[in-house]
Amino acid sequence: MNIIFLGPPGAGKGTQAQLLTKELGIPQISTGDMLRKAMREGTKTGLEAKRYVESGGLVPDEVVIAIVRERLAEDDCKNGYMLDGFPRTVPQAEELAKFAHIDVAVDLDLPDDVIVHRLSGRRVCPGCNATYHISQLGGSDKCPNCGETLIQRKDDSEETIRNRLKVYQEQTAPLVDYYKGKGILRVVPCTGTVEENFALVKKALEA
Ligand code: AMP
């Protein structure tokens, strides 16, 4: 099954996709993770992406489309994949449709006021990519999964979060209607716990 995760930043796309990877055995393809890796490694794509990612803006369509097209051609995508954070604009979705068949688009729905709270308290593990909220960590800065020191993403500062939400409303939210029009949209309210939300995601995929 080829799945897209839609939803505002902080809705839990990465977390839900990670859980689903374990359940379905298909890869999670996160353009945000790929861009951050390219930035760490200082590749041409990384250097090009840096200023957009750090300000909370969107990296130009042609840059992300190229990395997704390349990634989907790899062997581990033959039996399905989950796209997390792509597409983010209607032109990206239109381009994707030319080289991939998407079975279902899951829209993780979350009210705006919860998002800033979630993202400003988010910590990520540079070792295993797990994501936590500070309220889960009991004051520790170590990853409960692998022991690495957790970090705060640069773009999880309050000012950048507000910009990312604005960008989401303007450029990404129209994708909800786009996939509704294609008849493959499933909306999942994500205000519960990670486990509760995961149960709803699985139900939506079974429907
Ligand atoms: P994420 O980890 O999905 O929140 O993405 C972090 C940042 O990477 C975003 O704020 C954008 O700057 C960039 N990014 C990730 N995916 C895309 C995409 N599909 N199109 C444009 N920019 C993207």
Side-chain angles (χ1 to χ4, degrees):
M1 198 190 290
N2 300 337
I3 304 164
I4 286 175
F5 276 105
L6 296 174
K13 298 185 292 292
T15 303
Q16 295 299 325
Q18 267 180 10
L19 290 171
L20 212 52
T21 283
K22 288 185 194 145
E23 182 108 355
L24 301 180
I26 56 178
Q28 167 197 9
I29 296 170
S30 157
T31 41
D33 285 347
M34 289 194 281
L35 291 168
R36 281 183 290 276
K37 181 165 179 276
M39 282 161 53
R40 279 197 304 276
E41 292 171 352
T43 65
K44 185 169 166 274
T45 301
L47 294 174
E48 219 171 334
K50 195 171 182 329
R51 66 191 162 109
Y52 301 101
V53 174
E54 290 188 348
S55 66
L58 291 185
V59 174
D61 286 342
E62 60 277 13
V63 176
V64 272
I65 289 164
I67 60 176
V68 170
R69 189 199 299 268
E70 220 172 85
R71 181 65 186 88
L72 294 189
E74 286 177 29
D75 260 6
D76 63 336
C77 293
K78 294 246 159 19
N79 296 321
Y81 48 81
M82 275 166 280
L83 284 170
D84 152 18
F86 183 94
R88 254 186 167 91
T89 64
V90 171
Q92 288 180 17
E94 287 170 348
E95 208 50 43
L96 176 69
K98 294 180 190 164
F99 60 88
H101 171 82
I102 301 301
D103 298 295
V104 49
V106 180
D107 177 34
L108 303 182
D109 197 24
L110 194 70
D112 267 13
D113 54 342
V114 187
I115 293 172
V116 177
H117 167 78
R118 274 205 192 175
L119 289 183
S120 53
R122 177 159 75 174
R123 297 293 179 272
V124 292
C125 176
C128 69
N129 257 338
T131 303
Y132 305 94
H133 189 268
I134 42 173
S135 58
Q136 299 171 289
L137 296 167
S140 164
D141 66 347
K142 300 287 179 233
C143 175
N145 188 37
C146 74
E148 274 269 349
T149 302
L150 300 169
I151 54 169
Q152 180 171 31
R153 277 171 47 172
K154 261 196 181 147
D155 59 347
D156 278 345
S157 69
E158 188 152 340
E159 192 194 335
T160 312
I161 292 167
R162 299 217 179 268
N163 189 36
R164 288 162 67 202
L165 282 176
K166 186 166 160 273
V167 167
Y168 174 79
Q169 287 307 338
E170 288 171 2
Q171 304 202 49
T172 308
L175 287 177
V176 173
D177 278 342
Y178 176 90
Y179 285 112
K180 197 177 192 176
K182 304 256 175 232
I184 60 167
L185 182 76
R186 313 270 160 80
V187 180
V188 176
C190 274
T191 45
T193 63
V194 169
E195 293 75 21
E196 285 163 353
N197 297 342
F198 188 48
L200 294 176
V201 167
K202 284 198 288 186
K203 211 165 144 195
L205 290 175
E206 283 157 17

